[in-house]
Amino acid sequence: RLRYRLRLESGAPVRGLAELNFLAPSKPAGGSLQVEPAAGHAADTIFSMTAMQWRDDAENHPLTFCWALELDAGGQLPLGCSRGGTKAMRLPKLTSRTAQTLLLSVINAIGNAAEEQGTIALQPTTRVGEASREIWQDLLVPHDRKDLSDSVALIYSLGSLLAPSDDASMQHRAGVECPGHMQGCDARGMRVLLLRQLKILSSDADQGQGRQQPLTWRWMLAAALELLVPHNPDADLFELSADVCLNLVNAGGSDAISRHTAGALTRVLSTLLQASLPAGSDVSPNLLMAATVLAQRVAAASEMGSQQVFASDNLVFVAARIADGAADVRLPSGKPATRVPRSEERRVGKECRSRW
């Protein structure tokens, strides 16, 4: 670890000298990331990821290991965190590249982190039907008998196998097979099943495993929801997506929502709003509630008088915490949200609700 000496000298008329020696907090070091096998098929091959020989001062233990896949434009898909240094799972292919970058963060008890990365050669699977059946069987294992992150990772993999379009001509092209009596169903049917699983997970995760690492599990569930929401959802998909979104923004009580989670949920809200508003229909109450609560949660986590902005293709979402009275203000695109006087709070809130 780094050793520092802080020295203070004073001059005339009173001369003095003081020194302070201190050690900078250390971070994990000396380790590596091992992935086996080094190449495989998306949503099919089970990869074993091992954090090897990471060490830190005894007072900084235990260490937490977090894995993620690097996406395009600098994004990340979280794969979960654990105190153990190993993780085995199927990996989704969400970019066109064969070479996929796996990211490892090793975090000690005082929050200092070291990072390592590795590369996996990931090809599309040729066993889409078989892989989808195997993944579904794994999903049917009761949630209390497997890690929450493992359940969400299975949804990632199965979701990545779905047809990229909701056009009728594309719905059978992926070859995904639904379970049980739904053999031969289309991609929409599987999407419905996965959203129902995600709804159960988002309801249950606030108790038990999810409470241990609230920032991680909420980000994972939000990322899975973003993967599953189609651009043109029908009524059932729309309501299921809005329900999961509302569950996620309500979960965790007063826990902060990370910028990763807020960004993913903003993009989901953008997609759902885009699907509902052109039709001229009323916005779903759950969707409206999700947007409002998300802004409140982000604003509550912000410093007084500051704002956070999350943007997607057609929505700029601003959450602000106002200095006088700590009022939370939700505004759609194009409206500034900093330093709104208390006297204006009610008018601005009413305008916001009408614009949503």
Side-chain angles (χ1 to χ4, degrees):
R1 65 169 75 184
L2 297 176
R3 185 182 300 273
Y4 291 88
R5 174 178 295 171
L6 182 63
R7 179 169 179 161
L8 177 64
E9 295 185 35
S10 63
V14 178
R15 305 183 67 87
L17 174 66
E19 287 186 350
L20 176 64
N21 297 311
F22 62 93
L23 295 175
S26 66
K27 64 180 182 180
S32 62
L33 171 62
Q34 180 178 318
V35 184
E36 293 182 350
H41 293 93
D44 196 352
T45 303
I46 297 179
F47 293 91
S48 177
M49 303 170 286
T50 306
M52 305 282 291
Q53 299 178 339
W54 288 92
R55 62 180 185 272
D56 202 345
D57 296 333
E59 62 268 24
N60 293 338
H61 280 250
L63 302 180
T64 299
F65 303 90
C66 297
W67 289 267
L69 271 180
E70 187 176 70
L71 303 178
D72 292 331
Q76 295 182 16
L77 183 74
L79 302 176
C81 298
S82 70
R83 294 286 170 79
T86 61
K87 199 167 191 65
M89 62 171 55
R90 303 169 192 255
L91 295 175
K93 183 172 170 50
L94 300 178
T95 69
S96 59
R97 304 187 307 270
T98 297
Q100 302 287 313
T101 301
L102 181 66
L103 306 172
L104 169 67
S105 296
V106 185
I107 309 167
N108 64 19
I110 59 175
N112 288 343
E115 297 182 348
E116 186 63 47
Q117 64 181 44
T119 301
I120 302 173
L122 204 58
Q123 298 283 356
T125 184
T126 58
R127 300 175 59 253
V128 175
E130 296 90 336
S132 61
R133 288 196 301 272
E134 293 167 4
I135 295 171
W136 185 259
Q137 289 302 314
D138 289 341
L139 267 174
L140 292 181
V141 175
H143 299 313
D144 59 358
R145 290 170 51 189
K146 61 179 181 288
D147 187 81
L148 173 64
S149 64
D150 292 340
S151 297
V152 181
L154 290 170
I155 293 176
Y156 288 162
S157 291
L158 194 45
S160 70
L161 294 177
L162 297 176
S165 170
D166 291 301
D167 185 88
S169 64
M170 294 289 290
Q171 286 182 342
H172 294 276
R173 192 171 297 178
V176 172
E177 296 186 17
C178 295
H181 65 283
M182 297 189 69
Q183 290 288 341
C185 76
D186 57 20
R188 179 202 170 276
M190 179 56 78
R191 203 181 297 269
V192 168
L193 292 176
L194 291 179
L195 281 169
R196 287 174 179 167
Q197 286 288 312
L198 204 57
K199 184 177 179 179
I200 294 171
L201 286 172
S202 63
S203 298
D204 294 347
D206 203 26
Q207 310 295 326
Q209 293 184 49
R211 297 300 300 160
Q212 299 170 18
Q213 296 175 338
L215 298 183
T216 301
W217 69 256
R218 196 185 287 116
W219 180 19
M220 289 193 70
L221 290 169
L225 177 60
E226 184 180 3
L227 175 64
L228 292 176
V229 173
H231 290 293
N232 296 296
D234 59 26
D236 290 339
L237 289 170
F238 185 96
E239 286 303 322
L240 271 172
S241 301
D243 288 348
V244 176
C245 193
L246 182 58
N247 283 350
L248 290 178
V249 298
N250 279 325
S254 59
D255 293 337
I257 288 184
S258 72
R259 62 183 181 85
H260 297 292
T261 303
L265 292 177
T266 298
R267 292 186 290 272
V268 169
L269 286 169
S270 174
T271 298
L272 296 177
L273 285 167
Q274 187 176 25
S276 63
L277 294 181
S281 59
D282 294 335
V283 178
S284 161
N286 280 354
L287 185 61
L288 178 61
M289 180 63 70
T292 302
V293 175
L294 176 60
Q296 291 175 329
R297 298 288 295 278
V298 174
S302 304
E303 294 183 4
M304 195 72 71
S306 69
Q307 69 176 27
Q308 294 192 47
V309 179
F310 300 92
S312 60
D313 291 342
N314 68 336
L315 177 68
V316 177
F317 190 63
V318 180
R321 191 172 185 187
I322 307 307
D324 53 337
D328 296 325
V329 178
R330 287 79 61 192
L331 295 176
S333 176
K335 292 287 186 178
T338 52
R339 307 281 182 186
V340 178
R342 168 67 73 173
S343 60
E344 293 293 295
E345 177 191 346
R346 182 172 299 177
R347 181 190 65 78
V348 172
K350 182 178 180 181
E351 179 182 344
C352 169
R353 288 190 291 273
S354 65
R355 287 177 63 96
W356 278 113

